[in-house]
């Protein structure tokens, strides 16, 4: 199977996206959290986690936390309405 360098945040993020396509959302979340741990300034995992918590888990509070981190780091608007 595919493996990821545990210190490569971009690889962890991208492998998380791949896991979503396979329907393995819990593994995607784990990989996105690993990506953030290894590179807290990588913006994409924050947005992906915000979307996951908003739409999959219906957890607006958790989605808002990741959305705000995304906005702060990226300087872009995050997900509207949260």
């Amino acid at each position: 199977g595919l493996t990821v360098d545990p210190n490569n945040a971009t690889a962890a993020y991208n492998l998380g996206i791949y896991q979503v396509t396979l329907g393995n959302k819990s593994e995607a979340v784990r990989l996105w959290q690993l990506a953030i741990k290894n590179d807290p300034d990588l913006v994409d995992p924050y947005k992906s986690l915000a979307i996951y918590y908003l739409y999959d888990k219906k957890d607006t509070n958790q989605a808002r936390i990741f959305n705000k981190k995304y906005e702060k780091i990226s300087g872009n608007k995050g997900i509207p309405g949260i």
Side-chain angles (χ1 to χ4, degrees):
L2 292 175
T3 60
V4 63
D5 173 357
N7 298 313
N8 187 325
T10 301
Y13 172 74
N14 289 332
L15 190 54
I17 294 295
Y18 176 67
Q19 289 297 323
V20 168
T21 68
L22 298 177
N24 301 328
K25 291 182 181 177
S26 61
E27 180 63 9
V29 168
R30 186 189 73 75
L31 288 162
W32 294 334
Q33 290 169 337
L34 177 64
I36 289 170
K37 177 182 172 198
N38 289 325
D39 184 356
D41 294 327
L42 185 65
V43 298
D44 293 328
Y46 294 104
K47 188 171 185 180
S48 294
L49 285 165
I51 291 167
Y52 169 77
Y53 281 106
L54 182 64
Y55 296 111
D56 288 281
K57 290 298 196 179
K58 310 295 186 216
D59 185 341
T60 306
N61 291 328
Q62 195 68 22
R64 196 173 287 129
I65 290 168
F66 285 109
N67 195 52
K68 285 183 180 185
K69 288 181 181 179
Y70 169 79
E71 289 178 337
K72 181 179 179 184
I73 295 168
S74 71
N76 296 323
K77 281 297 261 178
I79 301 166
I82 62 169

